[in-house]
Amino acid sequence: MPQNQPPAGADRIAAAAARLRTAAATGTPAAPVRDLIGRDDVQAAYAVQRRLTAERTEAGATVVGRKIGLTSEAVQRQLGVDQPDFGFLFDDMAYTDGATVPADAILQPRVEAEIAFVLGADLAEGPLDDAQVRAAVDHAVVAIEICGSRIADWDISFGDTVADNASAGGYVLGTRRVPLTGFDPVAAAMTMTVDGETVSTGSGAACLGDPVNAVVWLARQARELGEPLRAGQIVLSGALGPMRPVTPGTAVHATVTGLGSVSVAFSA
């Protein structure tokens, strides 16, 4: 945090939440909130996120899982952090494979392809290590995450993106469900196209060395914060390659070896 930025108190947290809330309500991206909560004040950023999450659930939305971000070392270096972040997935963020997303549904949309894990057991007790997490996963599916930012021009620091629910906007899951006994997340290769042009490639190793490592990290963080991962929840484990912007009329297709493909379009 810059030395001239005071610790974020309740008033600053409330003001940051209000700024992001207004951006969502009006469809107009806002100025960054780091002037209120600092660039890298982890506690303040998650306090804003929790406040907005509580408001969303009180309004009727249901939490169905989490998304993990900043799993790439390059992106961590870019934002000056040494850990991933996470946000909440809500039921109204889900789109079916092949769906068309309304142009105004997500602010400043960008897409990335990744592996999603659906849990078959709670991750609330025990060591929450690799073995336990793998045993808790019911199946993996290919996914497109639609990231969105309420911060104008994606001018984000770590604090900005965490406060803004880790820039979560929407997600699309493929239909092929594969248990981990028949799938190696590390070796999986990803290709994503936009309007038929390849715009992103990568592998499972790009996600903290193994996408399961990302879920281990998340499971421990979630339990520490008193909201452990539960059976049936979805975990978007992090991008396998670069995130790309999309515009109205765009069609996106992603393939992950072993998991098949998934598509989504954006209305003109």
Side-chain angles (χ1 to χ4, degrees):
M1 182 186 301
Q3 292 184 351
N4 62 352
Q5 175 70 54
D11 290 348
R12 288 178 174 270
I13 289 167
R19 187 179 296 177
L20 294 171
R21 185 188 311 113
T22 299
T26 62
T28 302
V33 296
R34 55 183 175 266
D35 63 313
L36 296 167
I37 62 170
R39 296 183 60 87
D40 53 8
D41 186 332
V42 177
Q43 291 185 342
Y46 278 112
V48 176
Q49 184 190 111
R50 287 194 299 272
R51 188 184 187 108
L52 293 171
T53 296
E55 292 176 1
R56 195 159 178 173
T57 54
E58 288 166 5
T62 300
V63 172
V64 296
R66 309 285 207 286
K67 65 147 289 182
I68 308 171
L70 305 181
T71 54
S72 159
E73 290 185 5
V75 176
Q76 289 184 9
R77 287 195 299 271
Q78 181 183 5
L79 293 181
V81 298
D82 60 0
Q83 63 175 319
D85 69 349
F86 71 85
F88 287 84
L89 299 178
F90 297 92
D91 54 345
D92 58 3
M93 287 181 172
Y95 294 91
T96 58
D97 187 9
T100 297
V101 178
D104 60 354
I106 297 169
L107 280 177
Q108 306 181 106
R110 297 182 177 185
V111 292
E112 55 189 28
E114 51 197 270
I115 297 167
F117 298 101
V118 178
L119 300 179
D122 291 351
L123 287 170
E125 306 293 338
L128 302 183
D129 56 11
D130 180 88
Q132 183 180 358
V133 167
R134 287 178 182 275
V137 170
D138 182 77
H139 61 270
V141 295
V142 59
I144 294 172
E145 181 181 356
I146 309 166
C147 301
S149 182
R150 289 178 275 190
I151 304 298
D153 301 317
W154 277 86
D155 179 16
I156 58 173
S157 67
F158 181 76
D160 294 307
T161 186
V162 169
D164 190 19
N165 197 30
S167 304
Y171 66 93
V172 191
L173 301 184
T175 57
R176 182 179 178 187
R177 301 177 174 184
V178 181
L180 288 186
T181 52
F183 171 67
D184 179 6
V186 176
M190 177 277 294
T191 301
M192 184 174 69
T193 65
V194 173
D195 293 334
E197 178 183 354
T198 299
V199 297
S200 183
T201 60
S203 72
C207 180
L208 292 185
D210 182 342
V212 175
N213 291 340
V215 185
V216 169
W217 174 86
L218 175 64
R220 293 172 176 174
Q221 291 293 311
R223 182 173 68 179
E224 184 176 330
L225 293 172
E227 298 180 274
L229 300 177
R230 298 296 184 184
Q233 290 189 334
I234 302 158
V235 176
L236 299 181
S237 60
L240 304 187
M243 178 171 60
R244 297 300 184 195
V246 289
T247 55
T250 294
V252 182
H253 183 84
T255 301
V256 172
T257 55
L259 297 180
S261 62
V262 61
S263 299
V264 69
F266 295 82
S267 64

